[in-house]
Amino acid sequence: MQSYTIGQAARLLGVSPDTARRWADAGRVATHRDDSGRRLIAGADLAAFSVEIAGGAGDGEDASYTSARNAFPGIVTAIKLGDVAAQVDIQAGPHRLVSLLTREAVEELGLEVGMEATARVKSTNVHIDRV
């Protein structure tokens, strides 16, 4: 089974290595040491932990209700407005998401570069590449 270093786990979780290290120190995710003394997280443990922390996102009182379960909270990095259509780029951890929507929707949402936003993905086709 594949194991991940703290740095690799942080990148996959979209957090800083310090945050991942603090979570490991607090026992939120199990670690073990390899022959050279590096702390590693088993792939199955990291997968379960990533689901756990994703489940806690958006549980506040002001959480919206939606049927789209794949939510990527992030920051708006670019907006390109056309006469009718618009393109909005969001950086969510290591993921760059690009949405094409109407200019009217961008204006109604009040989207601006630098503000927080959540990209929600609902698709019938999801491609997975093995790394």
Side-chain angles (χ1 to χ4, degrees):
M1 174 186 303
Q2 183 164 353
S3 291
Y4 297 90
T5 65
I6 295 289
Q8 290 170 323
R11 183 179 52 79
L12 292 169
L13 295 171
V15 299
S16 73
D18 286 337
T19 297
R21 204 171 289 110
R22 281 192 298 274
W23 286 341
D25 290 344
R28 290 191 61 191
V29 61
T31 63
H32 63 278
R33 297 215 181 250
D34 66 5
D35 294 336
S36 63
R38 294 182 308 168
R39 280 199 303 180
L40 301 174
I41 301 170
D45 291 339
L46 182 60
F49 183 66
S50 69
V51 170
E52 175 189 324
I53 62 173
D59 286 344
E61 289 180 21
D62 57 347
S64 62
Y65 295 96
T66 179
S67 65
R69 298 292 180 231
N70 302 311
F72 295 87
I75 187 168
V76 176
T77 57
I79 298 175
K80 296 176 185 153
L81 294 174
D83 291 338
V84 176
Q87 176 180 315
V88 177
D89 293 20
I90 292 180
Q91 191 68 39
H95 308 290
R96 175 180 171 248
L97 295 110
V98 179
S99 178
L100 301 176
L101 58 164
T102 65
R103 178 186 182 117
E104 180 181 14
V106 171
E107 291 169 348
E108 284 180 6
L109 290 169
L111 294 178
E112 297 177 4
V113 171
M115 73 184 310
E116 289 183 62
T118 299
R120 294 196 184 272
V121 178
K122 187 166 184 176
S123 175
T124 57
N125 294 310
V126 177
H127 300 267
I128 298 174
D129 295 334
R130 183 174 174 191
V131 180

